[in-house]
């Protein structure tokens, strides 16, 4: 099955660095279509160049987060959900362009995570929705489903908001494209409590927590890490200069 790898991305000093690294990872993966959605008013040349150089099949879109939903440069990272409109734009593209496709898997891959190539082979095994451990997330070394002897999911080890229907990170799961196509109303939203993006989406495509398919050797292996790139401390002058160049206040808006 083809992998549709959806990456929301936004401008900051490390954007090009993070996307370059990700493109080098993805360029090792056969049968992968990279859907990159910029959080901007228009497509930028610098992202276009990375996509072109990757030699991957790709789709380049943009969807700007409305200013009221956009965090300030100085905000702590958790104040508002990120990637909402960008992932939705990719889902709409899939529903418009890939209607009728039966063989494919959709994954939400952020631009700053670290991916072992083995995670892509796990994704291809997904029947409805697959799940696996994620490293360095939710205040844990590894956040993972907990399996019974017979291999079924009985719990999750998450500590942060463990009462969520799916106490897992965006990087922890992939779903069959048919679920995306047959549930056209399943979208991300600014109107869900913090930490509930994953749960709301999975519920909306008709998945229940115990019938996800545990992958990565019965959830004993970590093939993706929620690494975060340190926010660069730019000078006020540099922020103003970049802001001017891009025509709107991207760093502060
Ligand atoms: C965690 C999860 O891993 C994300 O999947 C989830 O979207 C996020 O929390 C959330 O709560 O919304 P975290 O590392 O804190 O991730 O988030 P970022 O990496 O800063 O952002 C997630 C993705 O959205 C990235 O690919 C980033 O480039 C993009 N993004 C971020 C935008 O498109 N616009 C923004 O203003 C900020
Ligand atoms: Mn991140």
């Amino acid at each position: 099955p083809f992998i549709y790898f959806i990456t929301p991305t936004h401008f900051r000093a490390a954007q090009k660095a993070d996307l370059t690294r990700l493109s080098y990872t993805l360029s090792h993966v056969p049968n992968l279509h990279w859907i990159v959605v910029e959080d901007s008013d228009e497509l930028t040349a610098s992202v276009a160049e990375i996509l072109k150089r990757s030699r991957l099949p790709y789709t380049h879109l943009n969807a700007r987060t409305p200013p009221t939903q956009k965090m300030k440069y100085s905000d702590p990272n958790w104040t508002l959900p990120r990637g909402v409109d960008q992932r939705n734009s990719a889902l709409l593209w899939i529903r418009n362009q890939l209607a009728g496709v039966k063989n494919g898997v959709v994954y939400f891959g952020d631009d700053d995570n670290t991916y072992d190539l083995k995670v892509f082979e796990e994704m291809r095994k997904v029947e409805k929705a697959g799940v696996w451990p994620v490293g360095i997330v939710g205040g844990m070394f590894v956040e993972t489903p907990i399996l019974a002897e017979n291999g079924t999911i009985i719990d999750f080890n998450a500590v942060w908001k463990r009462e969520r229907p799916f106490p897992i990170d965006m990087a922890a799961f992939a779903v069959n494209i048919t679920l995306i196509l047959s549930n056209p109303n399943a979208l991300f939203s600014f109107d869900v409590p913090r930490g509930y993006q994953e749960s709301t989406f999975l519920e909306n495509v008709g998945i229940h927590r115990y019938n996800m398919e545990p992958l990565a050797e019965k959830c004993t292996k970590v093939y993706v890490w929620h690494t975060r790139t340190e926010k660069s401390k730019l000078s006020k002058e540099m922020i103003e200069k970049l802001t001017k160049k891009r025509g709107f206040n991207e760093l502060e808006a």
Side-chain angles (χ1 to χ4, degrees):
F2 236 83
I3 294 169
Y4 297 93
F5 190 99
I6 298 175
T7 304
T9 185
H10 74 296
F11 179 72
R12 75 270 182 195
Q15 182 185 28
K16 203 167 175 180
D18 283 340
L19 282 175
T20 297
R21 180 173 47 205
L22 177 55
S23 79
Y24 290 163
T25 299
L26 298 184
S27 65
H28 292 283
V29 184
N31 300 325
L32 181 141
H33 185 116
W34 196 10
I35 305 175
V36 174
V37 191
E38 291 194 66
D39 186 348
S40 63
D41 283 324
E42 37 189 64
L43 304 181
T44 67
S46 101
V47 172
E49 191 188 329
I50 292 168
L51 285 168
K52 201 167 160 219
R53 281 183 63 197
S54 76
R55 296 154 150 264
L56 288 160
Y58 68 83
T59 297
H60 187 186
L61 305 169
N62 67 294
R64 186 180 171 191
T65 303
T68 50
Q69 302 290 357
K70 183 90 175 173
M71 288 186 302
K72 293 203 170 46
Y73 190 62
S74 50
D75 280 345
N77 77 297
W78 41 261
T79 45
L80 287 170
R82 279 131 286 148
V84 169
D85 286 345
Q86 294 72 36
R87 294 189 190 103
N88 286 346
S89 157
L91 291 170
L92 290 181
W93 183 88
I94 287 175
R95 286 167 183 148
N96 282 327
Q97 303 298 320
L98 304 176
V101 169
K102 298 243 159 1
N103 204 10
V105 56
V106 174
Y107 180 73
F108 301 105
D110 292 346
D111 59 7
D112 57 344
N113 293 340
T114 303
Y115 305 92
D116 187 317
L117 295 177
K118 288 181 174 169
V119 80
F120 301 100
E121 295 322 306
E122 297 304 308
M123 283 177 208
R124 289 190 220 276
K125 299 175 187 166
V126 166
E127 282 171 26
K128 287 176 100 177
V131 63
W132 46 77
V134 176
I136 354 178
V137 72
M140 305 192 77
F141 187 42
V142 181
E143 202 177 71
T144 180
I146 296 171
L147 308 195
E149 285 283 337
N150 68 4
T152 58
I153 299 176
I154 48 169
D155 202 358
F156 293 80
N157 77 344
V159 288
W160 186 69
K161 297 205 178 181
R162 59 171 284 108
E163 67 281 5
R164 290 174 290 166
F166 298 87
I168 57 177
D169 186 75
M170 203 67 76
F173 66 91
V175 302
N176 194 305
I177 192 168
T178 55
L179 296 189
I180 305 279
L181 298 175
S182 60
N183 295 283
N185 295 325
L187 289 167
F188 294 94
S189 161
F190 291 107
D191 287 332
V192 304
R194 194 154 73 81
Y196 280 70
Q197 292 292 337
E198 297 85 354
S199 293
T200 310
F201 178 79
L202 285 164
E203 287 184 329
N204 287 340
V205 295
I207 297 298
H208 302 285
R209 65 188 287 174
Y210 300 125
N211 63 19
M212 292 188 99
E213 301 139 40
L215 296 168
E217 297 189 28
K218 300 187 175 167
C219 293
T220 61
K221 301 286 184 198
V222 176
Y223 296 148
V224 54
W225 294 264
H226 185 250
T227 45
R228 307 192 78 234
T229 303
E230 189 184 9
K231 207 184 266 180
S232 59
K233 291 183 188 68
L234 298 176
S235 66
K236 233 182 155 230
E237 295 73 46
M238 185 56 80
I239 289 176
E240 274 161 19
K241 201 177 138 201
L242 288 167
T243 295
K244 243 189 220 143
K245 198 176 147 210
R246 294 177 64 88
F248 57 87
N249 196 340
E250 176 92 344
L251 288 166
E252 295 285 28

